[in-house]
Amino acid sequence: MPFADRLHIVQADITSLDVDAVVNAANVALMPGGGVCGAIHRAAGPELSEAYREVAPCPTSEARVTPGFKLKARWVIHAVGPVWMNGTQDEDRLLASSYRAALSLAERHDIGSVAFPAISTGTFSFPLPRATTIALREIGAALERSPKLTRVTCACFDAAALRTYEETRRLLDLSGRSASRHAARACAPRPRECRLEAVPGSPPRSKTPCS
């Protein structure tokens, strides 16, 4: 299937999506927070907080993985994006790296369908149009590179975010072969992988994701 057909942009509650893994816009301590993070914690149940203790902390630009517990998704990939500091602290590179870290976990451990929120655009205040460009470039590059990723969904929290994602997709031309030119402009080296321990309470599976 062409990679452009594997990229979906929807307005939806990410916790309701029927995918292999949802990505949590996490903080360094991997503690429950507001926005997407809080919603994922509430939907997954208290076991998620217990699982966090096995894998925390997670530095900015890296990712960790836990079971999804009560979510439809079997797994949660916790990606830590940067706090926006007016572009003075290498935020673009760090955000790109957080997407690559999450996508790398999915590829390496045969997680075929993944749903992303707009990482860092909530309480971390990263400008949405700028973050969307970074997100779609990284997702497009991963889809073109890896047939293991059967579907990547960008879950937009409202209609304005949905429009921003759709407009950015058109601008980047992520609907055909020329997407490779845009994906190649991603600005950071591949992130260092995080080594994790298996999480107690993981649902049955032949391979337990860990980085």
Side-chain angles (χ1 to χ4, degrees), residues 13-169:
D13 175 358
I14 195 170
T15 66
S16 71
L17 296 179
D18 188 7
V19 291
D20 295 334
V22 296
V23 176
N24 177 27
N27 53 62
V28 170
L30 299 185
M31 296 295 291
V36 170
C37 184
I40 288 174
H41 268 271
R42 289 189 295 273
E47 296 89 347
L48 185 58
S49 293
E50 294 295 322
Y52 264 3
R53 298 175 185 175
E54 302 293 326
V55 298
C58 181
T60 300
S61 81
E62 296 185 7
R64 300 285 192 269
V65 65
T66 64
F69 299 105
K70 295 178 182 177
L71 289 166
K72 288 184 178 180
R74 184 181 295 269
W75 305 105
V76 182
I77 298 173
H78 308 274
V80 181
V83 176
W84 178 248
M85 302 294 287
N86 295 316
T88 64
Q89 302 298 316
D90 213 10
E91 295 99 304
D92 287 358
R93 182 187 65 81
L94 292 170
L95 183 61
S97 185
S98 71
Y99 275 93
R100 281 199 298 277
L103 289 159
S104 178
L105 283 177
E107 290 178 66
R108 289 178 57 214
H109 301 292
D110 299 318
I111 296 173
S113 57
V114 186
F116 280 88
I119 298 172
S120 283
T121 62
T123 58
F124 286 5
S125 301
F126 205 109
L128 180 63
R130 187 169 182 148
T132 302
T133 298
I134 292 168
L136 290 180
R137 281 178 176 167
E138 295 301 333
I139 291 168
L143 286 169
E144 190 167 39
R145 179 179 65 249
S146 176
K148 291 181 180 180
L149 291 170
T150 58
R151 173 164 47 102
V152 176
T153 300
C154 296
C156 302
F157 54 86
D158 61 19
L162 179 65
R163 286 194 299 272
T164 298
Y165 268 83
E166 290 176 338
E167 290 167 3
T168 303
R169 180 176 186 167

